Amino acid sequence: MVDKKRREENKLKSEIKKGMKKVPPGMIISVNYDLGSEKWISTYRVYDGSLHEGVGATENLSRLIAMLKAAVYAEDGYQTIIPEIEDREKKYLRWKNDLRYILDQQTRVIDYLIHILSGNDIGSDVDIEKIKTNSNVIMPLLLMIQAVGVSEHSIYQLSSYTSMNIRDCYSIGRSILETCVNICLLHTLGIDAVNRAERHALQKYFRDLDRKVHLTNVKVNLKSELASKIDPSTVPGLNDAIKEFSKKDGSEVRDWIDMSIDKKIDIVAESHPIHLGTTLAAARMALYRHSSEILHGTLFGVRYFFAPNIFVKGPASSREEMIENLYEHFLSCFTAIYFSIDVMIEILSVEYGLSGVRERRSALLGRLLKLEFIKDAEKAE
């Protein structure tokens, strides 16, 4: 049986090598391989000289070959065919899509994490008793973890074309970073913190039924019909929650906890291996400051996107420079997104003995460290 499979693989390799000769100069074809499940995943991407990016799907390798007629059989994961002629513009495009592949695979790890923490496919290595005992903490976090996966997939879609919409990766990336930090904090502090977050959410829902904005010259009220129909005293815990998150003048305390993101990371670092806290802090540094400027619409935030450092050079004066700038922005967003999610996955998988999740995470990190420009950066150091 093994010999037959090996012969089939060798035949496929031969077909692929023949197909590679048909790759026109200037085209890059990428084939993805799921390291965790050891199966060919259902995506391929083609980039031609016009920078067109196409996406298709198949779960069968032989069918993939028929569709592309060019690939490299990779037992150790994802590989990219590099054309004989590749300018800097195409190089940055290829690098960006290498990173997009990593994000795509990380969303699959997130799905697997949720699948197991929800009580599915429990293996012998999983601490099922600990999951059951801590279910009051885990269950509220599952939706937050899912939200992270949704936003990461949005980044994947938003970055499918190398264009100015890369700018919006900052705001989505900021949401991912803050959600991951909150997940890590809530899990670290335990049930008391989770209950506080639940009370904050409860009173927030109620306050949303009757919102007011009263400025010096402007007054805006937005009131739902439900506002007058719901008696807070009839909803368990609502009156206490409103009181807890109200100032002396009756106005709302907006944050669920009075704590900066740096303090949150500090608390996580105190309870886990220091490298996880360091990684979260590095993710914060890669994105937080500039995403704030972009989200708040400041002049610096706008200028920063078009000219990251005016002391080095001004706005891009050519298409090649523009592509390089866009890649650098995407790399900053990727750094914050990937590593904040990576810390979240590591904390939860270690806590509950999820070796399968850890293996997929480690394989993906290994894939990232093997990327061409990462290796080049290491050599430069």
Side-chain angles (χ1 to χ4, degrees), residues 45 47 51-55 92-104 151-170 172 326-327 329-331 333-334 337:
R45 302 179 186 88
Y47 319 110
L51 302 184
H52 172 73
E53 302 181 17
V55 179
Y92 286 123
L93 177 62
R94 175 165 56 83
W95 286 358
K96 186 205 72 172
N97 283 285
D98 283 341
L99 295 178
R100 290 183 66 241
Y101 168 75
I102 297 292
L103 294 179
D104 180 50
S151 291
E152 186 172 34
H153 185 65
S154 294
I155 292 288
Y156 176 77
Q157 292 181 310
L158 186 63
S159 60
S160 61
Y161 291 91
T162 305
S163 63
M164 293 298 177
N165 57 13
I166 294 291
R167 181 178 187 270
D168 292 328
C169 289
Y170 276 97
I172 301 174
L326 292 173
Y327 167 73
H329 283 303
F330 184 70
L331 181 59
C333 294
F334 171 88
I337 292 164

Side-chain angles (χ1 to χ4, degrees), residues 251-292:
S251 60
E252 179 185 2
V253 175
R254 296 185 178 182
D255 296 329
W256 75 274
I257 192 168
D258 185 16
M259 193 179 293
S260 68
I261 188 171
D262 290 340
K263 181 59 178 177
K264 292 175 181 178
I265 293 173
D266 261 340
I267 291 175
V268 173
E270 288 171 2
S271 303
H272 299 92
I274 189 62
H275 74 275
L276 296 179
T278 302
T279 302
L280 273 182
R284 173 224 182 278
M285 182 175 289
L287 184 78
Y288 199 84
R289 168 183 169 85
H290 296 110
S291 64
S292 290

Side-chain angles (χ1 to χ4, degrees), residues 114-269:
I114 294 172
H115 188 67
I116 294 180
L117 288 179
S118 300
N120 301 295
D121 294 343
I122 299 298
S124 58
D125 58 324
V126 177
D127 193 340
I128 184 61
E129 291 304 319
K130 194 167 189 178
I131 291 177
K132 289 180 179 179
T133 302
N134 216 23
S135 61
N136 288 341
V137 171
I138 294 174
M139 294 310 293
L141 298 186
L142 289 180
L143 200 58
M144 297 179 72
I145 299 171
Q146 181 65 48
V148 168
V150 169
S151 291
E152 186 172 34
H153 185 65
S154 294
I155 292 288
Y156 176 77
Q157 292 181 310
L158 186 63
S159 60
S160 61
Y161 291 91
T162 305
S163 63
M164 293 298 177
N165 57 13
I166 294 291
R167 181 178 187 270
D168 292 328
C169 289
Y170 276 97
S171 56
I172 301 174
R174 169 73 175 266
S175 174
I176 292 172
L177 170 65
E178 298 242 30
T179 306
C180 285
V181 170
N182 278 328
I183 290 170
C184 294
L185 179 69
L186 284 165
H187 190 269
T188 298
L189 295 180
I191 191 61
D192 288 344
V194 171
N195 287 340
R196 177 183 177 85
E198 292 278 18
R199 294 193 299 273
H200 173 262
L202 177 63
Q203 60 86 34
K204 201 88 170 178
Y205 272 116
F206 181 74
R207 290 181 191 268
D208 271 351
L209 298 177
D210 188 5
R211 307 298 296 177
K212 299 181 179 67
V213 175
H214 289 182
L215 310 178
T216 303
N217 300 309
V218 177
K219 291 186 179 181
V220 178
N221 293 344
L222 182 62
K223 187 173 183 178
S224 167
E225 293 180 355
L226 289 174
S228 58
K229 296 179 180 180
I230 296 177
D231 180 358
S233 63
T234 64
V235 180
L238 179 53
N239 270 333
D240 290 338
I242 293 173
K243 183 178 180 180
E244 180 180 3
F245 291 97
S246 294
K247 300 176 184 178
K248 291 181 179 179
D249 62 0
S251 60
E252 179 185 2
V253 175
R254 296 185 178 182
D255 296 329
W256 75 274
I257 192 168
D258 185 16
M259 193 179 293
S260 68
I261 188 171
D262 290 340
K263 181 59 178 177
K264 292 175 181 178
I265 293 173
D266 261 340
I267 291 175
V268 173

Side-chain angles (χ1 to χ4, degrees), residues 51 87-96 99 162-164 166 170 304-308 312-332:
L51 302 184
D87 58 22
R88 289 177 63 192
E89 185 175 318
K90 294 185 180 67
K91 179 181 70 174
Y92 286 123
L93 177 62
R94 175 165 56 83
W95 286 358
K96 186 205 72 172
L99 295 178
T162 305
S163 63
M164 293 298 177
I166 294 291
Y170 276 97
Y304 172 76
F305 183 74
F306 293 99
V312 177
K313 61 181 179 180
S317 57
S318 68
R319 179 181 174 83
E320 186 176 277
E321 287 185 3
M322 181 193 73
I323 295 294
E324 181 178 355
N325 277 353
L326 292 173
Y327 167 73
E328 293 294 342
H329 283 303
F330 184 70
L331 181 59
S332 294

